[in-house]
Amino acid sequence: MALPLPLSILDLATVTDEETVGQALEASTTLAQRAEDWGFRRIWYAEHHNMRRIASAATSVLIAHIAARTERITLGSGGVMLPNHSPLQVAEQFGTLAELHPGRIELGLGRAPGTDQETVRALRRDPRASERFVQDVQELQGFLGEDSLVPNVNAYPGRGTNVPLSILGSSLYGAQAAAALGLPYGFASHFAPDALEQAVALYRKEFRPSAQLSEPRVIAGVNVIAADTDAEAQEELHRVRRQRVRMFIGRRGRSLTDAEVDAVLDSQAGDQIRNMTRYTAAGTPDVVARFLEDFAATADADELIVAGPATRRDAWWRSWELLATKVQNVQ
């Protein structure tokens, strides 16, 4: 039985231990090609910096590559971290994509830097740029529309493309911004679940219709590890949690042993890692489908966007293949 609401994909272009960056990007390209046939609605790529295992830092470049190798599926950012860029440059990049691939490009926007403070300095960004987030979104809308808010400055390409925007976040701020701007709201519950229900309720309550969107629309993030047996899925989930311990707690220049990682998972810090993966569907396809139905109700979501955190490429592929059996082709 197919799920009763659309599913999309959040692909972090993860580089596994056995791969080069090029091989990881080729896997992302193949996933997009298969996702078209499987019936997924869209794929988003997230901007992260200074993270060895994530190859989607140059988000618009990756979208361009994959758009040229697919035919129908919608592609976008989940998201571009707007404080890292000028609205004009973002409009030019995504305007170019929209002209090359009409009707297939969208733009999710986040307020966080997507990295640590040292990297923020390396990006040459103003650390106070996030305070102008709403104004920057409005400026970006102007560049992508017909009425630039900056006198005598237009985005070429970009002007008149009206690339659809979404606001992404994991806090009440993002919910309020999306509601005030009348834009879809994507909640990052796949790694920051705590404010999910409160933020979605606030967004729906305060939503103001806009030229882009007449009614509120919520996209909620969730992790999926589908496997042929529940035991296999749970083993992979444990590997995922181990990997997150190494990412967030492992000291630079030193690899943690599995025993050290497991000791962390048994500590208070491990509780925080488990909480980050609270919304993870791990099991056989039927178990995953039931989890996703329950999660969609909890999140009051119109659409789910799925992250595939499996750490081994064979398990990653198998998870997507099994999830695809539950996808309803709703466009």
Side-chain angles (χ1 to χ4, degrees), residues 59-61 80 85 88-98 105 157:
T59 312
S60 60
V61 177
V80 161
H85 311 274
L88 177 60
Q89 290 175 312
V90 175
E92 290 168 342
Q93 291 169 13
F94 280 79
T96 300
L97 290 170
I105 302 299

Side-chain angles (χ1 to χ4, degrees), residues 62-81:
L62 180 57
I63 292 171
H65 174 82
I66 292 176
R69 288 157 179 80
T70 52
E71 297 178 358
R72 302 177 305 278
I73 196 164
T74 298
L75 301 170
S77 60
V80 161
M81 301 295 105

Side-chain angles (χ1 to χ4, degrees), residues 43-263:
I43 303 181
W44 280 355
Y45 303 93
E47 177 188 346
H48 292 281
H49 299 281
N50 196 27
M51 294 187 181
R52 182 174 62 86
R53 291 185 180 274
I54 296 178
S56 53
T59 312
S60 60
V61 177
L62 180 57
I63 292 171
H65 174 82
I66 292 176
R69 288 157 179 80
T70 52
E71 297 178 358
R72 302 177 305 278
I73 196 164
T74 298
L75 301 170
S77 60
V80 161
M81 301 295 105
L82 194 52
N84 295 341
H85 311 274
S86 75
L88 177 60
Q89 290 175 312
V90 175
E92 290 168 342
Q93 291 169 13
F94 280 79
T96 300
L97 290 170
E99 295 287 3
L100 289 169
H101 308 283
R104 295 183 56 204
I105 302 299
E106 57 192 12
L107 176 52
L109 301 165
R111 179 172 174 252
T115 188
D116 56 79
Q117 290 304 308
E118 288 178 323
T119 310
V120 168
R121 289 191 288 272
L123 287 166
R124 302 295 195 270
R125 299 303 300 151
D126 180 352
R128 298 168 296 179
S130 62
E131 298 171 11
R132 303 188 299 271
F133 179 71
V134 170
Q135 292 84 354
D136 283 350
V137 173
Q138 292 171 321
E139 187 174 306
L140 176 58
Q141 283 180 308
F143 286 134
L144 292 170
E146 299 288 352
D147 300 308
S148 173
L149 300 183
V150 182
N152 303 314
V153 178
N154 289 283
Y156 299 119
R159 185 178 183 187
T161 57
N162 294 301
V163 174
L165 305 183
S166 298
I167 301 299
L168 314 181
S170 58
S171 69
L172 301 187
Y173 178 92
Q176 290 175 311
L181 293 164
L183 296 175
Y185 180 47
F187 192 91
S189 32
H190 60 294
F191 75 90
D194 289 343
L196 171 63
E197 294 176 66
Q198 187 180 3
V200 170
L202 180 64
Y203 166 70
R204 291 193 179 278
K205 178 183 177 182
E206 296 191 358
F207 179 83
R208 301 175 187 173
S210 67
Q212 179 180 320
L213 193 66
S214 60
E215 297 180 349
R217 180 166 185 81
V218 172
I219 303 172
V222 60
N223 301 298
V224 167
I225 302 172
D228 292 292
T229 68
D230 287 331
E232 288 176 294
Q234 292 302 319
E235 287 176 8
E236 187 59 36
L237 177 57
H238 187 62
R239 292 188 188 97
V240 168
R241 288 171 171 160
R242 278 178 168 174
Q243 187 180 81
R244 295 201 179 191
V245 168
R246 289 187 165 99
M247 182 183 301
F248 292 110
I249 299 178
R251 292 188 290 274
R252 295 180 182 180
R254 177 176 179 266
S255 297
L256 299 175
T257 67
D258 285 347
E260 289 173 321
V261 170
D262 288 341

